[in-house]
């Protein structure tokens, strides 16, 4: 079947370069970014309120990570190195090569969708979260998180985010829900990195935002995490 052929292609092509990206991102998140923020922290905390800092910092990490990852993939696409191209899950040409006009139209539609999600929906949810709930994290400069705390928090985040995303994604694939919500995500016939967040706003809210917002609340009972 078509699904069996697809799975065989995935097995033959291996894990690919995404494993390298995952290692780079993990190393940067744990060992490179924290020392920089430790220097900037007193200044950042002193110029804005707790709520403002939470909203801006979360948006910066949320949207910044997505942007950096896509810039990395853009470089991969432009290089067209055989050792990288062989890891494609399809032998079809990239959409911007197959039909440039249609690709430009899809790209504009994708940017509009992402702009609404990242710059309108995300801040609204974060502001509502900080307005109706008490702060559930530390923001002081004295108890800056240790590497062990960072590794523990990030590990818990990965587990909880994957679990919540899986449950949400599985729910939206139910036949009574799929046509109204998740079908929009599958409008993208040939998936590329930038289209990963292209979806219905309800799916973005439940599958992308809620795991991030709920993680600190669920972790509160273990320890008061540092933002």
């Amino acid at each position: 079947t078509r699904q069996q052929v697809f799975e065989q292609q995935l097995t033959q092509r291996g894990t690919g370069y995404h494993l390298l990206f995952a290692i780079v991102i993990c190393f940067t998140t744990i060992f490179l970014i924290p020392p920089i923020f430790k220097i900037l922290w007193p200044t950042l905390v002193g110029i804005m309120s707790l709520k403002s800092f939470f909203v801006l910092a979360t948006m910066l990490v949320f949207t910044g990570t997505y942007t950096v990852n896509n810039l990395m993939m853009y470089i991969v696409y432009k290089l067209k190195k055989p050792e990288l191209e062989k890891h494609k899950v399809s032998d079809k040409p990239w959409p911007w090569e197959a039909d440039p006009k249609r690709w430009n139209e899809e790209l504009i539609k994708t940017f509009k969708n992402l702009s609404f999600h990242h710059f309108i929906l995300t801040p609204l949810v974060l502001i509502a979260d900080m307005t109706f709930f008490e702060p559930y994290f530390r923001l002081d400069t004295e108890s800056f998180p240790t590497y062990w705390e960072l590794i523990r928090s990030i590990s818990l985040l990965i587990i909880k985010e994957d679990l919540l995303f899986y449950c949400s994604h599985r729910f939206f694939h139910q036949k009574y829900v799929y046509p109204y919500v998740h079908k929009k995500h599958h409008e993208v016939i040939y998936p590329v990195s930038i289209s990963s967040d292209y979806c219905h706003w309800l799916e973005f809210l439940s599958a992308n935002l809620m795991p991030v917002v709920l993680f600190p609340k669920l972790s509160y009972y273990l320890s008061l995490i540092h933002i």
Side-chain angles (χ1 to χ4, degrees):
T1 65
R2 183 178 179 181
Q3 179 65 24
Q4 290 174 328
V5 172
F6 177 73
E7 291 175 354
Q8 184 179 10
Q9 287 179 333
L10 287 179
T11 303
Q12 291 174 344
R13 296 170 195 272
T15 56
Y17 46 80
H18 64 271
L19 178 60
L20 175 62
F21 287 162
I23 294 173
V24 171
I25 292 171
C26 288
F27 180 84
T28 302
T29 302
I30 297 175
F31 297 105
L32 182 60
I33 295 178
I36 297 174
F37 269 91
K38 190 172 184 179
I39 298 173
L40 300 175
W41 203 255
T43 303
L44 294 173
V45 174
I47 61 177
M48 63 183 70
S49 67
L50 173 63
K51 294 182 179 181
S52 299
F53 188 86
F54 170 76
V55 172
L56 291 176
T58 304
M59 284 190 61
L60 177 63
V61 173
F62 194 66
T63 303
T65 301
Y66 185 79
T67 302
V68 170
N69 289 345
N70 276 284
L71 288 175
M72 293 171 65
M73 289 305 302
Y74 177 77
I75 295 174
V76 170
Y77 296 145
K78 295 296 289 184
L79 287 176
K80 291 186 66 68
K81 294 289 185 179
E83 57 269 24
L84 298 177
E85 292 281 305
K86 70 179 182 180
H87 295 295
K88 290 170 61 179
V89 297
S90 171
D91 293 323
K92 295 180 180 179
W94 294 111
W96 49 85
E97 298 173 341
D99 191 342
K101 182 179 179 180
R102 181 180 177 183
W103 166 247
N104 288 333
E105 295 173 352
E106 293 293 323
L107 192 60
I108 293 173
K109 183 172 68 173
T110 300
F111 273 124
K112 289 180 178 178
N113 182 268
L114 296 179
S115 297
F116 174 75
H117 290 162
H118 284 261
F119 301 114
I120 297 179
L121 185 59
T122 298
L124 286 176
V125 171
L126 294 175
I127 292 172
D129 180 40
M130 290 303 297
T131 301
F132 298 106
F133 297 94
E134 289 298 320
Y136 38 80
F137 44 75
R138 310 192 318 271
L139 192 61
D140 58 279
T141 56
E142 292 77 17
S143 63
F144 204 81
T146 62
Y147 286 124
W148 163 242
E149 185 178 354
L150 287 171
I151 293 173
R152 183 191 61 183
S153 298
I154 292 173
S155 299
L156 288 172
L157 174 59
I158 292 173
I159 295 172
K160 293 175 181 177
E161 198 278 339
D162 278 359
L163 177 61
L164 292 171
F165 179 86
Y166 168 80
C167 294
S168 175
H169 191 220
R170 188 175 181 87
F171 171 75
F172 285 126
H173 263 279
Q174 302 304 308
K175 62 180 181 180
Y176 299 110
V177 184
Y178 177 87
Y180 305 103
V181 180
H182 193 59
K183 184 178 180 180
K184 185 174 184 64
H185 177 67
H186 288 284
E187 288 177 357
V188 181
I189 300 176
Y190 196 105
V192 291
S193 63
I194 197 171
S195 65
S196 59
D197 270 2
Y198 179 85
C199 59
H200 191 279
W201 68 267
L202 185 60
E203 181 174 6
F204 185 84
L205 176 65
S206 62
N208 293 57
L209 279 181
M210 283 301 101
V212 175
V213 172
L214 289 176
F215 166 67
K217 294 181 174 61
L218 296 175
S219 302
Y220 179 85
Y221 298 99
L222 296 178
S223 64
L224 193 62
I225 66 171
H226 200 289
I227 189 172

